[in-house]
Amino acid sequence: FIEKIGEGKKDFSKVGDGDVVILPAFGASFEEMTLFDSKNVDIVDTTCPWVSKVWNTVDQHQRKGLTSVIHGKYAHEETVATVSFCEDYICVKDMKEAQMVADYIINGGDKEAFLKYFENAISEGFDPDTMLDKVGLANQTTMYKKETRAIGQLMQKTMITKFGPVNTKEHYLEFDTICDATQVRGID
């Protein structure tokens, strides 16, 4: 087993050449996969297809020049893996944080305070003054569907308010990446 050594960090020192590594349903980050390749390990990939769908979604965001707004807990294994596929991102764990982002998009604000609040939940070099003009929504698949949908509606309304209804599609993109199975059994 891989030992966790902090928020979003793991100790891979015991993984050796030719070992077998089983990826969990939450997947593995791009950096972890690169490490496994360098150690020539055999990988058994049990990544959930819904998690892969989220990764494809954030890849679409990046290709279209969007910042990914990820509804999830920034230190959760799945979100750590997801953000590793993003150039620009901000994680919001709930409606309160999504509202903070929406308020900043519409009104601007204290950039330093915003960055301090989200310091562990943003991409390196994140600039809310330029990186929140075009956003796409994704989620940690175990978050509540109702809250993710509400955050999506908030982001869409925010972009309509800021850029007008005609230009919304240029500034906001959303795909359904919520895993229905986790809605039934509970969330992580």
Side-chain angles (χ1 to χ4, degrees):
F1 289 95
I2 305 299
E3 182 182 352
K4 292 182 184 179
I5 54 173
E7 286 192 4
K9 302 202 185 310
K10 301 172 194 159
D11 178 9
F12 293 107
S13 63
K14 294 180 182 164
V15 177
D17 188 50
D19 283 352
V20 175
V21 174
I22 301 172
L23 300 182
F26 295 134
S29 72
F30 181 78
E31 294 79 12
E32 290 169 349
M33 294 301 292
T34 301
L35 174 71
F36 297 148
D37 283 346
S38 73
K39 291 191 173 216
N40 196 32
V41 301
D42 289 322
I43 295 174
V44 178
D45 190 352
T46 67
T47 303
C48 172
W50 281 97
V51 172
S52 297
K53 185 176 179 182
V54 174
W55 296 348
N56 289 332
T57 296
V58 297
D59 182 59
Q60 288 286 330
H61 296 166
Q62 304 310 299
R63 291 174 190 265
K64 294 177 185 263
L66 304 171
T67 295
S68 293
V69 175
I70 300 167
H71 176 215
K73 301 168 189 164
Y74 69 83
H76 188 281
E77 288 179 88
E78 179 187 335
T79 302
V80 169
T82 298
V83 301
S84 76
F85 294 96
C86 298
E87 290 178 37
D88 302 322
Y89 68 86
I90 184 167
C91 298
V92 295
K93 71 178 175 199
D94 53 27
M95 193 62 165
K96 174 187 164 241
E97 289 187 355
Q99 187 64 57
M100 291 170 67
V101 172
D103 289 345
Y104 196 95
I105 290 170
I106 293 171
N107 304 312
D110 184 339
K111 182 176 177 177
E112 189 175 313
F114 184 89
L115 291 172
K116 178 70 177 156
Y117 183 88
F118 287 104
E119 68 184 332
N120 295 314
I122 53 177
S123 51
E124 187 175 332
F126 190 85
D127 183 350
D129 293 335
T130 60
M131 294 178 170
L132 293 175
D133 283 345
K134 294 170 70 176
V135 300
L137 182 67
N139 66 291
Q140 177 183 311
T141 60
T142 56
M143 301 305 279
Y144 282 120
K145 178 188 288 193
K146 185 176 178 182
E147 187 171 44
T148 297
R149 290 221 168 106
I151 289 170
Q153 289 172 346
L154 173 64
M155 290 293 117
Q156 185 176 40
K157 181 180 173 186
T158 299
M159 292 312 194
I160 289 170
T161 300
K162 178 143 184 169
F163 300 104
V166 175
N167 296 318
T168 302
K169 289 185 179 181
E170 294 174 28
H171 295 276
Y172 180 70
L173 184 63
E174 175 183 335
F175 298 102
D176 181 5
T177 57
I178 300 167
C179 175
D180 290 321
T182 60
Q183 303 303 306
V184 173
R185 73 170 191 268
I187 63 170
D188 181 11

